[in-house]
Amino acid sequence: IDPAAVMAWKEGRFYCMSATLRTVMNELSRWYDLKVEYDVKVGQHFTGIISRTSTAQEVFAMLEQTADIKFLVDGKRVIITTKERL
């Protein structure tokens, strides 16, 4: 068990240490009650801590700034694609 992950959860934060996009999105989909679809295969890994009080849109904006991905949101449905495909 990663103590930093346990403390982050207790303190109301998402914690990622070299996590795949799929791992990050699994956590976000549960927290925000979203259905996630992947339009492309994304191989990036993410490291960081984000407050759970952030909106889904705020989290998506942060992730878009760190990788070549784009989130298309339609209600509770989120499609992940690359910026080139738009």
Side-chain angles (χ1 to χ4, degrees), residues 12 34 36 41 43 47 53 56 59 63 70 75 78 80 83 85:
L34 301 170
V36 179
K41 184 176 180 179
T47 298
T53 60
V59 175
L63 292 173
K70 183 74 180 163
V78 178
I80 302 172
K83 293 175 183 173
R85 288 196 163 202

Side-chain angles (χ1 to χ4, degrees), residues 62-79:
M62 289 180 224
L63 292 173
E64 286 176 350
Q65 290 177 359
T66 63
D68 183 33
I69 56 176
K70 183 74 180 163
F71 294 88
L72 306 173
V73 181
D74 180 21
K76 293 285 188 179
R77 182 175 162 227
V78 178
I79 301 169

Side-chain angles (χ1 to χ4, degrees), residues 3 5-7 9 12-15 18 27 30 34 37-39 44 46 48 56 71 73 76-77 79-82:
V6 173
M7 288 305 298
W9 179 264
R13 292 183 254 158
F14 293 108
Y15 171 83
S18 192
E27 184 77 17
R30 286 191 300 269
L34 301 170
E37 298 175 20
Y38 297 87
D39 187 36
Q44 288 99 340
F46 298 89
F71 294 88
V73 181
K76 293 285 188 179
R77 182 175 162 227
I79 301 169
I80 302 172
T81 189
T82 61

Side-chain angles (χ1 to χ4, degrees), residues 15-60:
Y15 171 83
C16 302
M17 182 56 67
S18 192
T20 65
L21 179 61
R22 201 167 288 276
T23 300
V24 171
M25 291 309 299
N26 284 342
E27 184 77 17
L28 295 176
S29 68
R30 286 191 300 269
W31 184 256
Y32 295 111
D33 189 28
L34 301 170
K35 182 179 184 310
V36 179
E37 298 175 20
Y38 297 87
D39 187 36
V40 293
K41 184 176 180 179
V42 182
Q44 288 99 340
H45 286 75
F46 298 89
T47 298
I49 299 172
I50 300 171
S51 172
R52 289 186 184 268
T53 60
S54 300
T55 67
Q57 290 290 11
E58 291 170 333
V59 175
F60 297 156

